[in-house]
Amino acid sequence: VEVYPYEGGESVLLPGIADRRFVLDVHLGSLARSLRMLGFDTVYERHLHDPELVQIASSEQRILLTRDVNLLKHNAIPAGYWLRSQKTEAQLQEVVSRYRLADRFRPFTRCMVCNGLISEVEKREVLEQLPPNTRLSFEEFYQCQQCKRVYWKGSHYKRMLELVKMATGMDS
């Protein structure tokens, strides 16, 4: 048996790894939302157990991110990483740095809830889903193509932009 350290390269045989697609364990919900916000295809569901995580990582050629070092001992996992930190910002820094993600960001293209793709939508198409004050104050809207959640650039948007800016500098 030969084991080699990860050097940040890409494998032609593992398209998910080259594309930086992830699957995360139950302990990493906040990190999953952050990765999705940055545009990365990230599978995360609280109900997924270890065998399901291994199966998803293997069949979809995804990088498994976990806080459970024993989970990474399964031979079927094509690539994985044990996160050292328990804090989301530090976890994000670990992942961005390890997988050289900063130049691959596509912020606000994935739903933070379900991982579906987001696209711009006309206000009239989502009017019934909007809170009353939002109807009056905003004109630009986006909707998840999968779960139909509606997004707009509200008060939280500035904080999210700051996180994207901070994450961009993590890879250096």
Side-chain angles (χ1 to χ4, degrees), residues 125-131 135 143 147-150 152:
E125 294 178 40
V126 294
L127 197 58
E128 296 301 316
Q129 293 176 258
L130 303 176
R135 289 180 193 176
Q143 187 173 38
C147 74
K148 303 302 182 195
R149 182 180 183 95
V150 179
W152 60 93

Side-chain angles (χ1 to χ4, degrees), residues 8 11 30 39-40 45 55 58 61 71-74 83 96 107 123 135 137 142 153 156 168:
S11 171
S30 293
F40 293 99
E45 294 178 33
Q55 190 275 326
S58 176
Q61 298 298 292
L71 182 55
L72 294 175
K73 294 179 182 178
H74 293 269
L83 291 148
V96 167
K123 183 177 182 175
R135 289 180 193 176
S137 303
Y142 302 85
K153 296 177 181 177
H156 57 285
T168 302

Side-chain angles (χ1 to χ4, degrees), residues 31-162:
L31 178 61
R33 286 186 295 280
S34 294
L35 287 169
R36 289 171 177 171
M37 183 186 70
L38 295 173
F40 293 99
D41 184 349
T42 304
V43 171
Y44 170 83
E45 294 178 33
R46 281 186 272 195
H47 67 80
L48 292 176
H49 298 289
D50 290 1
E52 295 162 306
L53 294 169
V54 171
Q55 190 275 326
I56 290 168
S58 176
S59 66
E60 298 181 20
Q61 298 298 292
R62 291 179 178 272
I63 300 166
L64 176 65
L65 301 177
T66 183
R67 288 279 307 136
D68 177 2
V69 73
N70 289 322
L71 182 55
L72 294 175
K73 294 179 182 178
H74 293 269
N75 291 337
I77 296 173
Y81 180 67
W82 176 67
L83 291 148
R84 275 65 173 170
S85 180
Q86 293 182 13
K87 298 185 179 193
T88 304
E89 189 174 301
Q91 291 172 343
L92 185 61
Q93 184 173 3
E94 286 181 59
V95 175
V96 167
S97 177
R98 179 170 186 83
Y99 293 104
R100 299 179 184 162
L101 301 180
D103 63 342
R104 296 173 180 263
F105 291 175
R106 293 183 338 234
F108 314 118
T109 57
R110 289 203 170 266
C111 179
M112 292 173 56
V113 175
C114 79
N115 195 43
L117 293 173
I118 294 174
S119 59
E120 193 165 2
V121 64
E122 294 292 325
K123 183 177 182 175
R124 61 180 159 68
E125 294 178 40
V126 294
L127 197 58
E128 296 301 316
Q129 293 176 258
L130 303 176
N133 287 341
T134 302
R135 289 180 193 176
L136 299 172
S137 303
F138 298 93
E139 296 300 320
E140 189 176 347
F141 296 93
Y142 302 85
Q143 187 173 38
C144 175
Q145 297 172 12
Q146 189 169 314
C147 74
K148 303 302 182 195
R149 182 180 183 95
V150 179
Y151 293 90
W152 60 93
K153 296 177 181 177
S155 59
H156 57 285
Y157 182 69
K158 186 175 180 179
R159 288 189 307 272
M160 293 170 75
L161 281 176
E162 289 173 12

